[in-house]
């Protein structure tokens, strides 16, 4: 994910990794056919935070695109 230059692909990769973590947590919460509500509540909270973070990231990418016309971060140039 760190090596991806395209910002939308980077956001998509981050969301995919987060969804995988949420699936693992929900799967671990189901023990002996009884659902544990605490991990489920944590996953639900995590989903809400992930949606908010994704919206913020997309807004920043849109602003960067409006200012520079690019969807990639500029390279660092040491002066």
């Amino acid at each position: 994910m760190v090596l991806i230059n395209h910002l939308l692909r980077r956001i998509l990769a981050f969301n995919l990794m987060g969804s995988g973590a949420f699936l693992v947590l929900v799967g671990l919460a189901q023990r002996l056919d009884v659902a544990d509500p605490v991990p489920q509540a944590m996953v639900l909270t995590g989903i809400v935070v992930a949606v908010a973070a994704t919206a913020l990231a997309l807004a920043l990418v849109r602003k960067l695109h409006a200012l520079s016309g690019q969807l990639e971060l500029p390279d660092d140039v040491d002066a």
Side-chain angles (χ1 to χ4, degrees), residues 34-63:
V34 177
D36 189 6
V38 174
Q40 288 182 352
M42 290 175 59
V43 167
L44 183 60
T45 304
I47 290 171
V48 171
V49 170
V51 167
T54 301
L56 176 64
L58 290 174
L60 291 173
V61 167
R62 186 173 177 194
K63 185 69 169 181

PDB file of all heavy atoms in Angstrom, residues 34-63:
ATOM      1  N   VAL A  34     -22.663 -18.612  20.098  1.00  0.00           N
ATOM      2  CA  VAL A  34     -23.192 -17.470  20.840  1.00  0.00           C
ATOM      3  C   VAL A  34     -22.363 -16.248  20.445  1.00  0.00           C
ATOM      4  O   VAL A  34     -21.144 -16.254  20.560  1.00  0.00           O
ATOM      5  CB  VAL A  34     -23.102 -17.698  22.366  1.00  0.00           C
ATOM      6  CG1 VAL A  34     -23.580 -16.485  23.117  1.00  0.00           C
ATOM      7  CG2 VAL A  34     -23.901 -18.934  22.759  1.00  0.00           C
ATOM      8  N   ALA A  35     -23.039 -15.230  19.983  1.00  0.00           N
ATOM      9  CA  ALA A  35     -22.332 -14.031  19.554  1.00  0.00           C
ATOM     10  C   ALA A  35     -21.970 -13.168  20.752  1.00  0.00           C
ATOM     11  O   ALA A  35     -22.777 -12.942  21.642  1.00  0.00           O
ATOM     12  CB  ALA A  35     -23.202 -13.239  18.589  1.00  0.00           C
ATOM     13  N   ASP A  36     -20.723 -12.697  20.775  1.00  0.00           N
ATOM     14  CA  ASP A  36     -20.265 -11.786  21.821  1.00  0.00           C
ATOM     15  C   ASP A  36     -20.547 -10.358  21.348  1.00  0.00           C
ATOM     16  O   ASP A  36     -20.054  -9.934  20.300  1.00  0.00           O
ATOM     17  CB  ASP A  36     -18.774 -11.982  22.058  1.00  0.00           C
ATOM     18  CG  ASP A  36     -18.265 -11.230  23.269  1.00  0.00           C
ATOM     19  OD1 ASP A  36     -19.097 -10.648  23.995  1.00  0.00           O
ATOM     20  OD2 ASP A  36     -17.038 -11.226  23.489  1.00  0.00           O
ATOM     21  N   PRO A  37     -21.345  -9.585  22.081  1.00  0.00           N
ATOM     22  CA  PRO A  37     -21.737  -8.264  21.589  1.00  0.00           C
ATOM     23  C   PRO A  37     -20.632  -7.208  21.642  1.00  0.00           C
ATOM     24  O   PRO A  37     -20.693  -6.231  20.901  1.00  0.00           O
ATOM     25  CB  PRO A  37     -22.897  -7.871  22.501  1.00  0.00           C
ATOM     26  CG  PRO A  37     -22.691  -8.657  23.734  1.00  0.00           C
ATOM     27  CD  PRO A  37     -22.031  -9.936  23.315  1.00  0.00           C
ATOM     28  N   VAL A  38     -19.623  -7.398  22.480  1.00  0.00           N
ATOM     29  CA  VAL A  38     -18.584  -6.368  22.602  1.00  0.00           C
ATOM     30  C   VAL A  38     -17.745  -6.249  21.326  1.00  0.00           C
ATOM     31  O   VAL A  38     -17.586  -5.148  20.793  1.00  0.00           O
ATOM     32  CB  VAL A  38     -17.699  -6.621  23.847  1.00  0.00           C
ATOM     33  CG1 VAL A  38     -16.539  -5.644  23.895  1.00  0.00           C
ATOM     34  CG2 VAL A  38     -18.533  -6.534  25.115  1.00  0.00           C
ATOM     35  N   PRO A  39     -17.206  -7.351  20.778  1.00  0.00           N
ATOM     36  CA  PRO A  39     -16.470  -7.200  19.514  1.00  0.00           C
ATOM     37  C   PRO A  39     -17.359  -6.728  18.362  1.00  0.00           C
ATOM     38  O   PRO A  39     -16.899  -5.982  17.490  1.00  0.00           O
ATOM     39  CB  PRO A  39     -15.923  -8.596  19.231  1.00  0.00           C
ATOM     40  CG  PRO A  39     -15.886  -9.266  20.542  1.00  0.00           C
ATOM     41  CD  PRO A  39     -17.037  -8.700  21.312  1.00  0.00           C
ATOM     42  N   GLN A  40     -18.609  -7.122  18.370  1.00  0.00           N
ATOM     43  CA  GLN A  40     -19.514  -6.660  17.324  1.00  0.00           C
ATOM     44  C   GLN A  40     -19.737  -5.154  17.420  1.00  0.00           C
ATOM     45  O   GLN A  40     -19.778  -4.457  16.396  1.00  0.00           O
ATOM     46  CB  GLN A  40     -20.842  -7.395  17.402  1.00  0.00           C
ATOM     47  CG  GLN A  40     -20.740  -8.830  16.960  1.00  0.00           C
ATOM     48  CD  GLN A  40     -22.074  -9.541  17.005  1.00  0.00           C
ATOM     49  OE1 GLN A  40     -23.056  -9.022  17.505  1.00  0.00           O
ATOM     50  NE2 GLN A  40     -22.094 -10.753  16.481  1.00  0.00           N
ATOM     51  N   ALA A  41     -19.843  -4.635  18.629  1.00  0.00           N
ATOM     52  CA  ALA A  41     -19.993  -3.191  18.813  1.00  0.00           C
ATOM     53  C   ALA A  41     -18.719  -2.461  18.399  1.00  0.00           C
ATOM     54  O   ALA A  41     -18.779  -1.376  17.802  1.00  0.00           O
ATOM     55  CB  ALA A  41     -20.338  -2.877  20.264  1.00  0.00           C
ATOM     56  N   MET A  42     -17.563  -3.071  18.688  1.00  0.00           N
ATOM     57  CA  MET A  42     -16.305  -2.455  18.279  1.00  0.00           C
ATOM     58  C   MET A  42     -16.176  -2.420  16.757  1.00  0.00           C
ATOM     59  O   MET A  42     -15.713  -1.430  16.188  1.00  0.00           O
ATOM     60  CB  MET A  42     -15.132  -3.220  18.896  1.00  0.00           C
ATOM     61  CG  MET A  42     -15.012  -3.038  20.393  1.00  0.00           C
ATOM     62  SD  MET A  42     -13.715  -4.040  21.129  1.00  0.00           S
ATOM     63  CE  MET A  42     -12.286  -3.487  20.265  1.00  0.00           C
ATOM     64  N   VAL A  43     -16.601  -3.487  16.095  1.00  0.00           N
ATOM     65  CA  VAL A  43     -16.552  -3.528  14.633  1.00  0.00           C
ATOM     66  C   VAL A  43     -17.511  -2.504  14.047  1.00  0.00           C
ATOM     67  O   VAL A  43     -17.172  -1.800  13.089  1.00  0.00           O
ATOM     68  CB  VAL A  43     -16.853  -4.951  14.115  1.00  0.00           C
ATOM     69  CG1 VAL A  43     -17.106  -4.944  12.624  1.00  0.00           C
ATOM     70  CG2 VAL A  43     -15.703  -5.882  14.449  1.00  0.00           C
ATOM     71  N   LEU A  44     -18.693  -2.380  14.609  1.00  0.00           N
ATOM     72  CA  LEU A  44     -19.655  -1.395  14.117  1.00  0.00           C
ATOM     73  C   LEU A  44     -19.103   0.029  14.272  1.00  0.00           C
ATOM     74  O   LEU A  44     -19.201   0.847  13.352  1.00  0.00           O
ATOM     75  CB  LEU A  44     -20.981  -1.534  14.856  1.00  0.00           C
ATOM     76  CG  LEU A  44     -22.108  -0.623  14.398  1.00  0.00           C
ATOM     77  CD1 LEU A  44     -22.441  -0.885  12.942  1.00  0.00           C
ATOM     78  CD2 LEU A  44     -23.325  -0.822  15.255  1.00  0.00           C
ATOM     79  N   THR A  45     -18.476   0.298  15.404  1.00  0.00           N
ATOM     80  CA  THR A  45     -17.850   1.598  15.616  1.00  0.00           C
ATOM     81  C   THR A  45     -16.702   1.810  14.634  1.00  0.00           C
ATOM     82  O   THR A  45     -16.533   2.901  14.082  1.00  0.00           O
ATOM     83  CB  THR A  45     -17.338   1.714  17.055  1.00  0.00           C
ATOM     84  OG1 THR A  45     -18.423   1.481  17.954  1.00  0.00           O
ATOM     85  CG2 THR A  45     -16.733   3.075  17.325  1.00  0.00           C
ATOM     86  N   GLY A  46     -15.928   0.759  14.398  1.00  0.00           N
ATOM     87  CA  GLY A  46     -14.825   0.843  13.440  1.00  0.00           C
ATOM     88  C   GLY A  46     -15.311   1.120  12.029  1.00  0.00           C
ATOM     89  O   GLY A  46     -14.671   1.867  11.278  1.00  0.00           O
ATOM     90  N   ILE A  47     -16.442   0.538  11.648  1.00  0.00           N
ATOM     91  CA  ILE A  47     -16.999   0.783  10.326  1.00  0.00           C
ATOM     92  C   ILE A  47     -17.402   2.251  10.189  1.00  0.00           C
ATOM     93  O   ILE A  47     -17.151   2.886   9.162  1.00  0.00           O
ATOM     94  CB  ILE A  47     -18.189  -0.160  10.057  1.00  0.00           C
ATOM     95  CG1 ILE A  47     -17.686  -1.591   9.884  1.00  0.00           C
ATOM     96  CG2 ILE A  47     -18.972   0.276   8.825  1.00  0.00           C
ATOM     97  CD1 ILE A  47     -18.793  -2.625   9.841  1.00  0.00           C
ATOM     98  N   VAL A  48     -18.019   2.796  11.220  1.00  0.00           N
ATOM     99  CA  VAL A  48     -18.426   4.204  11.182  1.00  0.00           C
ATOM    100  C   VAL A  48     -17.207   5.109  11.065  1.00  0.00           C
ATOM    101  O   VAL A  48     -17.188   6.062  10.265  1.00  0.00           O
ATOM    102  CB  VAL A  48     -19.269   4.556  12.427  1.00  0.00           C
ATOM    103  CG1 VAL A  48     -19.508   6.047  12.524  1.00  0.00           C
ATOM    104  CG2 VAL A  48     -20.579   3.804  12.406  1.00  0.00           C
ATOM    105  N   VAL A  49     -16.165   4.817  11.828  1.00  0.00           N
ATOM    106  CA  VAL A  49     -14.942   5.619  11.767  1.00  0.00           C
ATOM    107  C   VAL A  49     -14.279   5.472  10.399  1.00  0.00           C
ATOM    108  O   VAL A  49     -13.774   6.453   9.830  1.00  0.00           O
ATOM    109  CB  VAL A  49     -13.982   5.213  12.906  1.00  0.00           C
ATOM    110  CG1 VAL A  49     -12.615   5.846  12.725  1.00  0.00           C
ATOM    111  CG2 VAL A  49     -14.573   5.583  14.254  1.00  0.00           C
ATOM    112  N   ALA A  50     -14.281   4.260   9.841  1.00  0.00           N
ATOM    113  CA  ALA A  50     -13.677   4.032   8.525  1.00  0.00           C
ATOM    114  C   ALA A  50     -14.418   4.794   7.436  1.00  0.00           C
ATOM    115  O   ALA A  50     -13.793   5.351   6.521  1.00  0.00           O
ATOM    116  CB  ALA A  50     -13.659   2.538   8.208  1.00  0.00           C
ATOM    117  N   VAL A  51     -15.733   4.850   7.519  1.00  0.00           N
ATOM    118  CA  VAL A  51     -16.502   5.607   6.526  1.00  0.00           C
ATOM    119  C   VAL A  51     -16.184   7.099   6.636  1.00  0.00           C
ATOM    120  O   VAL A  51     -16.001   7.781   5.620  1.00  0.00           O
ATOM    121  CB  VAL A  51     -18.016   5.339   6.694  1.00  0.00           C
ATOM    122  CG1 VAL A  51     -18.848   6.327   5.905  1.00  0.00           C
ATOM    123  CG2 VAL A  51     -18.343   3.917   6.280  1.00  0.00           C
ATOM    124  N   ALA A  52     -16.092   7.604   7.860  1.00  0.00           N
ATOM    125  CA  ALA A  52     -15.762   9.021   8.047  1.00  0.00           C
ATOM    126  C   ALA A  52     -14.345   9.326   7.551  1.00  0.00           C
ATOM    127  O   ALA A  52     -14.114  10.355   6.895  1.00  0.00           O
ATOM    128  CB  ALA A  52     -15.905   9.412   9.506  1.00  0.00           C
ATOM    129  N   ALA A  53     -13.395   8.441   7.835  1.00  0.00           N
ATOM    130  CA  ALA A  53     -12.019   8.652   7.381  1.00  0.00           C
ATOM    131  C   ALA A  53     -11.926   8.570   5.857  1.00  0.00           C
ATOM    132  O   ALA A  53     -11.185   9.340   5.233  1.00  0.00           O
ATOM    133  CB  ALA A  53     -11.091   7.626   8.022  1.00  0.00           C
ATOM    134  N   THR A  54     -12.686   7.675   5.252  1.00  0.00           N
ATOM    135  CA  THR A  54     -12.705   7.567   3.802  1.00  0.00           C
ATOM    136  C   THR A  54     -13.295   8.825   3.171  1.00  0.00           C
ATOM    137  O   THR A  54     -12.775   9.329   2.166  1.00  0.00           O
ATOM    138  CB  THR A  54     -13.509   6.328   3.361  1.00  0.00           C
ATOM    139  OG1 THR A  54     -12.910   5.161   3.932  1.00  0.00           O
ATOM    140  CG2 THR A  54     -13.539   6.200   1.856  1.00  0.00           C
ATOM    141  N   ALA A  55     -14.358   9.339   3.763  1.00  0.00           N
ATOM    142  CA  ALA A  55     -14.953  10.572   3.242  1.00  0.00           C
ATOM    143  C   ALA A  55     -13.966  11.734   3.331  1.00  0.00           C
ATOM    144  O   ALA A  55     -13.847  12.528   2.391  1.00  0.00           O
ATOM    145  CB  ALA A  55     -16.230  10.906   4.011  1.00  0.00           C
ATOM    146  N   LEU A  56     -13.248  11.837   4.431  1.00  0.00           N
ATOM    147  CA  LEU A  56     -12.244  12.882   4.575  1.00  0.00           C
ATOM    148  C   LEU A  56     -11.123  12.719   3.553  1.00  0.00           C
ATOM    149  O   LEU A  56     -10.703  13.688   2.915  1.00  0.00           O
ATOM    150  CB  LEU A  56     -11.673  12.886   5.995  1.00  0.00           C
ATOM    151  CG  LEU A  56     -10.545  13.881   6.251  1.00  0.00           C
ATOM    152  CD1 LEU A  56     -11.038  15.312   6.094  1.00  0.00           C
ATOM    153  CD2 LEU A  56      -9.948  13.655   7.619  1.00  0.00           C
ATOM    154  N   ALA A  57     -10.643  11.482   3.386  1.00  0.00           N
ATOM    155  CA  ALA A  57      -9.569  11.233   2.429  1.00  0.00           C
ATOM    156  C   ALA A  57     -10.015  11.560   1.005  1.00  0.00           C
ATOM    157  O   ALA A  57      -9.258  12.166   0.233  1.00  0.00           O
ATOM    158  CB  ALA A  57      -9.116   9.780   2.523  1.00  0.00           C
ATOM    159  N   LEU A  58     -11.232  11.184   0.648  1.00  0.00           N
ATOM    160  CA  LEU A  58     -11.732  11.487  -0.692  1.00  0.00           C
ATOM    161  C   LEU A  58     -11.909  12.993  -0.900  1.00  0.00           C
ATOM    162  O   LEU A  58     -11.651  13.505  -1.994  1.00  0.00           O
ATOM    163  CB  LEU A  58     -13.037  10.745  -0.948  1.00  0.00           C
ATOM    164  CG  LEU A  58     -12.909   9.234  -1.114  1.00  0.00           C
ATOM    165  CD1 LEU A  58     -14.287   8.603  -1.219  1.00  0.00           C
ATOM    166  CD2 LEU A  58     -12.054   8.884  -2.310  1.00  0.00           C
ATOM    167  N   ALA A  59     -12.331  13.700   0.135  1.00  0.00           N
ATOM    168  CA  ALA A  59     -12.452  15.157   0.027  1.00  0.00           C
ATOM    169  C   ALA A  59     -11.085  15.803  -0.177  1.00  0.00           C
ATOM    170  O   ALA A  59     -10.938  16.737  -0.971  1.00  0.00           O
ATOM    171  CB  ALA A  59     -13.130  15.722   1.267  1.00  0.00           C
ATOM    172  N   LEU A  60     -10.070  15.308   0.526  1.00  0.00           N
ATOM    173  CA  LEU A  60      -8.719  15.840   0.355  1.00  0.00           C
ATOM    174  C   LEU A  60      -8.164  15.532  -1.027  1.00  0.00           C
ATOM    175  O   LEU A  60      -7.498  16.376  -1.643  1.00  0.00           O
ATOM    176  CB  LEU A  60      -7.795  15.292   1.447  1.00  0.00           C
ATOM    177  CG  LEU A  60      -8.066  15.798   2.859  1.00  0.00           C
ATOM    178  CD1 LEU A  60      -7.190  15.054   3.858  1.00  0.00           C
ATOM    179  CD2 LEU A  60      -7.841  17.288   2.951  1.00  0.00           C
ATOM    180  N   VAL A  61      -8.435  14.320  -1.531  1.00  0.00           N
ATOM    181  CA  VAL A  61      -7.986  13.965  -2.877  1.00  0.00           C
ATOM    182  C   VAL A  61      -8.686  14.835  -3.913  1.00  0.00           C
ATOM    183  O   VAL A  61      -8.065  15.296  -4.877  1.00  0.00           O
ATOM    184  CB  VAL A  61      -8.227  12.462  -3.151  1.00  0.00           C
ATOM    185  CG1 VAL A  61      -8.061  12.135  -4.627  1.00  0.00           C
ATOM    186  CG2 VAL A  61      -7.281  11.626  -2.323  1.00  0.00           C
ATOM    187  N   ARG A  62      -9.971  15.094  -3.713  1.00  0.00           N
ATOM    188  CA  ARG A  62     -10.712  15.943  -4.642  1.00  0.00           C
ATOM    189  C   ARG A  62     -10.145  17.373  -4.639  1.00  0.00           C
ATOM    190  O   ARG A  62     -10.013  18.005  -5.687  1.00  0.00           O
ATOM    191  CB  ARG A  62     -12.178  15.944  -4.257  1.00  0.00           C
ATOM    192  CG  ARG A  62     -13.051  16.672  -5.216  1.00  0.00           C
ATOM    193  CD  ARG A  62     -14.494  16.504  -4.871  1.00  0.00           C
ATOM    194  NE  ARG A  62     -15.292  17.288  -5.796  1.00  0.00           N
ATOM    195  CZ  ARG A  62     -16.546  17.573  -5.626  1.00  0.00           C
ATOM    196  NH1 ARG A  62     -17.176  17.132  -4.566  1.00  0.00           N
ATOM    197  NH2 ARG A  62     -17.203  18.275  -6.507  1.00  0.00           N
ATOM    198  N   LYS A  63      -9.801  17.872  -3.461  1.00  0.00           N
ATOM    199  CA  LYS A  63      -9.216  19.207  -3.361  1.00  0.00           C
ATOM    200  C   LYS A  63      -7.839  19.248  -4.029  1.00  0.00           C
ATOM    201  O   LYS A  63      -7.509  20.212  -4.743  1.00  0.00           O
ATOM    202  CB  LYS A  63      -9.113  19.621  -1.885  1.00  0.00           C
ATOM    203  CG  LYS A  63      -8.636  21.010  -1.671  1.00  0.00           C
ATOM    204  CD  LYS A  63      -9.669  22.011  -2.131  1.00  0.00           C
ATOM    205  CE  LYS A  63      -9.295  23.391  -1.671  1.00  0.00           C
ATOM    206  NZ  LYS A  63     -10.273  24.385  -2.064  1.00  0.00           N
TER     207      LYS A  63
END
